Amino acid sequence: MISVKKISKTFDKTIAVKQLSFNVAEGETLILLGTSGCGKTTTLKMLNHLITPDEGSVFVNGKDNKLVNPEELRLGIGYVLQNHGLFPHYTIAQNMAIVPQLLKWEKEKIRKRTDELIEKLHLPTDIKNKFPYQLSGGQQQRVGLARALAANPPILLMDEPFGALDPITRNKIKSEFLTLDELQNKTIVMVTHDVQEAFELGDQICLMDEGEILQIGTPKELLEKPKSEKVKNFLKDQQLQLSLKTLSLLEIWPQIESIGKPPVQEVLDANEHHLWSVFEKLANQKHILLKLKKEEKTVTSTSLMWALEKYKTLNDGTN
Amino acid sequence: MEQINSFFQFISQESDKLLNQTLQHIGLTFISLLIAILVALPLGIFISRKIKLAGPILGVAGILQTIPSIALLGVMIPILGIGVKPAIVALFLYALLPIIRNTYTGITNIDAQVLEAAKAMGMSNSQVLTKVELPLAFPVIMAGIRTATVINVGVATLAAYIAAGGLGEFIFGGIALNNTNMILAGAIPAALLAIIFDFLLSRLQKVNFRNIKTYFLILPFLLVVLSSFYFLPTAIEGKMLAGFTPEFMGRQDGDLGLRKVYGLKIRTVVISDAVMYRAAYEKKLDVISGYSTDGRLKAFDLITLEDDKHIFPPYYCAPIVNEDALKNHPELEGILNQLSGFINDSTMTDLNYKVDYLHQTPEEVAKDFLNEKGLYKNPRYGNGATIRIGSKIFGEQYILAQMYKILILGNSDLQVETKTGLGGTKICFDALTNHQIDFYPEYTGTGLLVILPQKRQLFAKIMGDKEQVYSYVQKEFNKNYHIKWLQPIGFNNTYALMMRKQQAQNLVINSITDLKKHLENNK
Ligand SMILES: Nc1ncnc2c1ncn2[C@@H]1O[C@H](COP(=O)(O)OP(=O)(O)O)[C@@H](O)[C@H]1O
Ligand SMILES: [Mg+2]
């Protein structure tokens, strides 16, 4: 869907992006991950031709961006910014209607679509005639997402979409985000500097440093087979994830406590799963029932976290 | 209360003029504003795109605004003549800076994320401009337009200086005539216009239209309507054009007398004394009002028309002396009277020309002149008492004071101290009655109209006759102030109508009556 071939960009003397190449398959989510200033935003903006690469090419749907009218290109790509970038002089409904209007949709169609998005993003219905400054940060960000989704573009670019939110709102929106049907079939490229977020949301992670790719791969690959010391170092702070990854459910079984018997969607055999994959699944659902022989334990991500903590303290004590 | 009554009386008497001037004022303000917006808005948008050019362009607009209005108007005259054109250009230049600056600031201060979002959603550059940048910058741009409007309402009063009309005619006429009602009749409407327009624009600024297109329709429409006011009161067609100072326009012994006594009907514009002579020289005006001994007559090759029906009071110049000084120094009278009969209007004009235009010193000019007439004697450097000579602050009086100084020093043992530059009539006259000076040159008309108590009917009767005025002021000054009017020097520095010498000769116009006949025959 998106194919990037050796793109470079230099501002004055700062080399922002150097010989970058990657592919994003249809329906896949790629995360551009790295510390601040490593060239993530620049890379993202070259995808929808907000920035023209000095060298190299970007292909969207097999067409070279250089040969496509940039406005037409952008009409087919949703864009979400860190600070929402809503038009302060437009109402929420008007903001959400921008792209459909540029595409000359009929009024009635626009109205239906707006209502639909307001519902899907859990926004209050009276929000339509409000102005952006009257909204909370979380609402503004949701409207920003709604605006990008309005014309149902196949591709969505997001630059630190949750970066400006407080942690509670961020987690709430993030979990909504994971379940939003609108996003399921979209090709998404998202920028973040938050490793946790990257691992939660990405099918692929492109780890960047000083304008170059350190490693690109699935979260698992990055954790299991870091290509260099740098990658290792970058993920060092994320030892938790690493330990989740390496720990089997069997090892931690004694520490796991059941939280009761709420209804569950999924039942897993503890023999066959790693702690990490259970955590992954818990991102999409609240409760999971684990089975080991005849024992049954219902867990949440929090209860698993507790178990892990206990396990770690126990092991620390014996050493 | 009386003041207020007389003010409203003035307004109702002059309501035609007031309406006319107000409409002209509105027209001037908005024509220039309209042009300024058409130029400044695109320029402001342009420099918001090319930030490097912002400094230089804002700098130039800023410098334009620091040029004093009168100077700017003066500079325009040789290029654009007098009247509406230079006034609009000057107002236009003043209005540029606030609009360019605010357009620039308004656009460059828009949140970068909003612009990025606009572009990222697929808007073209022109869509970003009209749907995002202009609407968001609109309040700031409107603030600039408000500033420009208020500036223009103010500066437009100066348009009266170059014959472009407006409320300045009342304001400056009132100042010149010391007529408070007239000043207020111009100043109050001007202030009200500024307040009203500012208020209306502030309303417009707050209205939230989503689409800039609406303004683009409303604003020019409004401006054009307002601008058109200027053209409602069109001048009557006529071949010759007169330019009179605001003061002259309002005086009985000025334009009013010309109409009443001579029945002179000429297309007239109001213009400042500072630019009037040059405007006549450059054929922008054909007839102007001026002072008969002004050096500019010669500098710009103009002649005065004879006031054959005597509407202008005589302003014959003579030394007025404190009786005490005459008693103590009896020889003084004879010495001062030596000058009598030697200087007529054109001689005085010539002398003034030398001082004002050739920049010779009054001492030089006085000495050369006395030499030429055989009146010069080397100073005796005597040890007598000191005579103090006063003069008002303009060239003619300086020259006369120097002549008297030379005459006294050459013909007596008295010593002399000159106290030149005593400001206006009142200061000189008070200095004389308080024995701070012994004499100064005064004009009969001034003595009659400014110093003596007003007796309208008597004055009206004697006004036309120079002998009668002279003997009246002589008698009254003697009686009331113990001041003696010596023999008149000869010249009469009064109001006069002036024309270019060439044109007057071609048309054989020597007097105001000739002018009137010419106008009637060439309708
Ligand atoms: N418009 C620009 N002009 C000059 N330097 C820029 C510009 N945009 C980005 N840079 C520089 O390029 C580098 C990469 O920036 P960016 O892509 O924004 O990083 P990130 O999004 O990863 O924080 C930084 O050093 C930044 O200072
Ligand atoms: Mg960034």
Side-chain angles (χ1 to χ4, degrees):
Chain A
M1 193 92 188
I2 301 173
S3 178
V4 172
K5 298 238 157 75
K6 290 191 169 182
I7 52 169
S8 299
K9 180 72 197 178
T10 307
F11 296 106
D12 303 323
K13 276 170 193 153
T14 329
I15 301 169
V17 174
K18 208 152 77 189
Q19 297 278 324
L20 213 66
S21 302
F22 59 80
N23 292 303
V24 191
E26 190 171 343
E28 191 179 71
T29 301
L30 174 82
I31 309 285
L32 297 173
L33 175 67
T35 48
S36 173
C38 71
K40 307 180 294 292
T41 299
T42 309
T43 305
L44 192 74
K45 285 185 184 172
M46 285 193 276
L47 302 185
N48 64 352
H49 211 167
L50 284 175
I51 294 177
T52 310
D54 296 335
E55 288 169 36
S57 308
V58 175
F59 296 87
V60 173
N61 293 324
K63 276 184 245 165
D64 189 340
N65 272 1
K66 272 178 268 183
L67 308 176
V68 179
N69 174 319
E71 278 111 49
E72 239 162 75
L73 170 77
R74 292 175 198 143
L75 284 171
I77 303 180
Y79 193 73
V80 183
L81 296 91
Q82 175 166 5
N83 287 313
H84 62 79
L86 296 176
F87 291 2
H89 58 308
Y90 277 29
T91 62
I92 299 311
Q94 287 165 346
N95 262 293
M96 287 168 63
I98 295 171
V99 181
Q101 266 179 350
L102 291 173
L103 292 170
K104 307 213 157 46
W105 282 19
E106 278 168 22
K107 270 202 182 129
E108 187 52 27
K109 189 176 167 194
I110 295 179
R111 196 188 59 75
K112 272 193 187 145
R113 177 63 176 153
T114 310
D115 290 343
E116 183 184 19
L117 281 168
I118 284 177
E119 197 194 314
K120 281 187 178 172
L121 285 161
H122 310 296
L123 289 163
T125 39
D126 65 350
I127 208 172
K128 282 169 83 172
N129 294 320
K130 288 189 176 168
F131 284 92
Y133 74 92
Q134 296 168 307
L135 272 56
S136 70
Q139 288 176 328
Q140 288 171 340
Q141 207 53 30
R142 284 193 184 100
V143 175
L145 181 60
R147 181 177 68 174
L149 294 173
N152 206 3
I155 300 174
L156 192 62
L157 305 181
M158 302 197 275
D159 194 349
E160 314 225 13
F162 314 116
L165 302 172
D166 61 273
I168 294 172
T169 318
R170 187 189 314 162
N171 282 333
K172 210 166 137 202
I173 296 189
K174 234 187 284 180
S175 58
E176 285 173 21
F177 182 86
L178 282 167
T179 54
L180 196 63
D181 64 344
E182 293 268 342
L183 296 175
Q184 296 313 316
N185 301 316
K186 295 230 183 302
T187 308
I188 298 173
V189 179
M190 181 180 131
V191 164
T192 183
H193 62 263
D194 182 337
V195 184
Q196 193 102 24
E197 193 170 288
F199 278 65
E200 283 168 34
L201 303 178
D203 296 323
Q204 297 253 12
I205 293 174
C206 173
L207 183 58
M208 290 177 67
D209 184 42
E210 294 184 347
E212 291 180 290
I213 296 180
L214 288 180
Q215 187 169 353
I216 183 164
T218 62
K220 248 182 219 174
E221 280 167 352
L222 258 70
L223 284 165
E224 285 174 358
K225 301 169 206 152
K227 266 188 181 168
S228 62
E229 274 308 300
K230 270 193 178 174
V231 177
K232 245 190 217 167
N233 281 336
F234 193 86
L235 300 174
K236 199 173 67 192
D237 294 338
Q238 305 302 318
Q239 280 304 322
L240 179 61
Q241 263 99 343
L242 283 169
S243 57
L244 296 181
K245 185 67 223 164
T246 48
L247 212 54
S248 76
L249 278 176
L250 284 177
E251 282 177 276
I252 201 177
W253 188 254
Q255 278 75 43
I256 298 175
E257 283 174 31
S258 182
I259 60 147
K261 291 196 183 303
V264 293
Q265 290 175 8
E266 212 167 349
V267 181
L268 298 176
D269 188 341
N271 265 322
E272 292 168 9
H273 288 272
H274 283 182
L275 191 52
W276 166 249
S277 57
V278 182
F279 266 113
E280 258 193 338
K281 288 184 188 298
L282 280 169
N284 290 321
Q285 47 200 302
K286 219 166 173 182
H287 307 104
I288 289 181
L289 183 66
L290 299 178
K291 273 188 175 174
L292 186 65
K293 294 172 196 162
K294 278 181 194 161
E295 241 183 316
E296 285 189 356
K297 292 180 181 178
T298 309
V299 296
T300 63
S301 52
T302 327
S303 72
L304 271 185
M305 207 68 92
W306 274 109
L308 178 66
E309 285 301 312
K310 257 192 216 165
Y311 173 83
K312 280 200 316 198
T313 8
L314 271 176
N315 284 346
D316 281 354
T318 55
N319 289 345
Chain B
M1 203 55 217
E2 210 165 296
Q3 173 67 46
I4 294 174
N5 280 339
S6 80
F7 172 64
F8 282 111
Q9 219 171 348
F10 181 87
I11 297 260
S12 67
Q13 270 167 15
E14 303 279 343
S15 59
D16 278 0
K17 256 193 197 169
L18 181 62
L19 180 68
N20 194 7
Q21 288 185 13
T22 308
L23 293 180
Q24 282 178 340
H25 207 94
I26 296 173
L28 276 176
T29 304
F30 282 96
I31 294 171
S32 51
L33 193 67
L34 181 65
I35 305 172
I37 292 173
L38 291 179
V39 173
L41 197 65
L43 209 55
I45 295 169
F46 176 71
I47 60 174
S48 72
R49 302 280 186 272
K50 306 240 183 265
I51 301 275
K52 274 185 195 155
L53 291 176
I57 287 182
L58 288 172
V60 170
I63 288 167
L64 283 174
Q65 201 155 47
T66 61
I67 302 174
S69 339
I70 294 283
L72 191 57
L73 293 172
V75 169
M76 300 275 164
I77 293 196
I79 311 163
L80 294 170
I82 56 166
V84 188
K85 262 189 280 171
I88 287 178
V89 172
L91 288 171
F92 156 75
L93 292 176
Y94 280 117
L96 280 180
L97 179 66
I99 305 178
I100 300 178
R101 188 187 48 206
N102 283 37
T103 305
Y104 171 73
T105 326
I107 290 179
T108 50
N109 278 354
I110 295 172
D111 182 359
Q113 292 239 354
V114 172
L115 293 178
E116 193 183 307
K119 249 182 116 176
M121 278 185 291
M123 286 188 166
S124 64
N125 285 338
S126 67
Q127 284 169 329
V128 173
L129 180 69
T130 56
K131 287 177 194 268
V132 183
E133 289 179 298
L134 289 180
L136 284 177
F138 188 77
V140 186
I141 297 175
M142 278 307 292
I145 292 177
R146 275 170 71 186
T147 310
T149 310
V150 174
I151 291 176
N152 271 11
V153 171
V155 177
T157 55
L158 297 175
Y161 273 149
I162 51 167
L167 290 161
E169 287 187 8
F170 271 160
I171 297 177
F172 295 109
I175 291 171
L177 295 168
N178 199 13
N179 180 339
T180 315
N181 287 336
M182 196 188 260
I183 298 176
L184 292 178
I188 292 175
L192 284 178
L193 284 184
I195 293 168
I196 291 169
F197 289 140
D198 192 48
F199 174 75
L200 291 178
L201 290 172
S202 77
R203 309 261 53 186
L204 194 58
Q205 187 176 359
K206 288 203 193 89
V207 180
N208 191 326
F209 299 103
R210 185 163 68 95
N211 204 319
I212 196 72
K213 270 184 211 151
T214 328
Y215 313 122
F216 275 125
L217 290 175
I218 290 177
L219 207 60
F221 174 74
L222 260 179
L223 285 172
V224 168
V225 168
L226 290 167
S227 304
S228 65
F229 281 157
Y230 194 85
F231 299 104
L232 290 178
T234 37
I236 329 128
E237 207 34 56
K239 278 175 192 158
M240 275 190 156
L241 183 64
F244 296 151
T245 62
E247 179 185 6
F248 188 82
M249 288 299 287
R251 289 180 75 121
Q252 276 305 327
D253 54 347
D255 186 50
L256 302 175
L258 282 178
R259 289 168 193 276
K260 211 156 57 190
V261 179
Y262 285 96
L264 188 71
K265 285 196 193 93
I266 184 164
R267 198 153 60 100
T268 307
V269 294
V270 178
I271 189 164
S272 108
D273 169 72
V275 296
M276 184 174 67
Y277 293 87
R278 175 171 288 279
Y281 174 73
E282 283 170 358
K283 302 188 181 171
K284 312 292 185 202
L285 294 172
D286 301 299
V287 181
I288 61 173
S289 64
Y291 291 101
S292 53
T293 60
D294 197 305
R296 286 176 288 196
L297 267 170
K298 190 174 161 91
F300 292 112
D301 211 18
L302 307 172
I303 55 145
T304 58
L305 302 184
E306 192 199 334
D307 173 25
D308 48 339
K309 291 189 179 167
H310 307 290
I311 61 159
F312 303 130
Y315 283 80
Y316 282 91
C317 186
I320 58 174
V321 196
N322 197 301
E323 299 272 11
D324 294 332
L326 286 177
K327 215 177 286 164
N328 296 336
H329 313 290
E331 70 273 36
L332 203 54
E333 179 161 358
I335 297 172
L336 297 185
N337 279 340
Q338 281 185 20
L339 203 54
S340 176
F342 278 101
I343 305 179
N344 63 17
D345 290 3
S346 64
T347 320
M348 195 66 238
T349 304
D350 191 38
L351 297 175
N352 283 334
Y353 171 71
K354 284 179 177 155
V355 172
D356 293 341
Y357 280 82
L358 304 183
H359 301 295
Q360 297 176 7
T361 63
E363 288 91 332
E364 263 179 284
V365 174
K367 189 173 170 185
D368 290 350
F369 176 77
L370 293 177
N371 251 329
E372 189 191 316
K373 300 291 174 191
L375 294 171
Y376 183 80
K377 288 186 187 152
N378 283 324
R380 290 204 219 157
Y381 301 114
N383 272 329
T386 300
I387 299 295
R388 294 153 308 170
I389 311 174
S391 88
K392 304 182 192 180
I393 43 167
F394 49 92
E396 182 169 297
Q397 291 252 330
Y398 291 156
I399 300 170
L400 294 172
Q402 289 303 327
M403 287 183 180
Y404 286 127
K405 180 179 178 179
I406 293 168
L407 288 173
I408 295 169
L409 292 178
N411 291 297
S412 75
D413 287 330
L414 295 167
Q415 304 185 54
V416 171
E417 186 187 342
T418 50
K419 294 199 169 185
T420 51
L422 284 178
T425 301
K426 181 151 172 52
I427 298 174
C428 271
F429 183 72
D430 287 348
L432 186 61
T433 51
N434 293 327
H435 295 92
Q436 286 158 335
I437 56 173
D438 295 306
F439 75 93
Y440 76 92
E442 187 52 282
Y443 305 87
T444 52
T446 311
L448 183 74
L449 298 171
V450 178
I451 300 173
L452 290 175
Q454 295 297 297
K455 292 181 183 164
R456 280 215 191 146
Q457 292 186 338
L458 176 73
F459 287 4
K461 214 163 65 193
I462 64 173
M463 199 83 102
D465 188 333
K466 65 174 182 175
E467 309 292 344
Q468 278 193 42
V469 171
Y470 179 77
S471 60
Y472 181 78
V473 293
Q474 195 179 38
K475 194 179 76 204
E476 292 293 315
F477 270 60
N478 200 335
K479 195 170 75 193
N480 296 329
Y481 314 114
H482 290 282
I483 286 170
K484 180 160 187 184
W485 283 77
L486 301 188
Q487 288 176 21
I489 301 168
F491 69 88
N492 178 16
N493 182 1
T494 184
Y495 272 129
L497 290 194
M498 302 171 181
M499 294 180 66
R500 281 183 300 284
K501 194 192 253 173
Q502 194 63 48
Q503 189 185 25
Q505 281 169 359
N506 289 346
L507 301 174
V508 202
I509 295 174
N510 294 313
S511 63
I512 299 177
T513 304
D514 291 346
L515 175 65
K516 185 206 164 197
K517 281 184 184 148
H518 171 81
L519 288 169
E520 275 176 355
N521 296 336
N522 289 281
K523 264 186 184 159

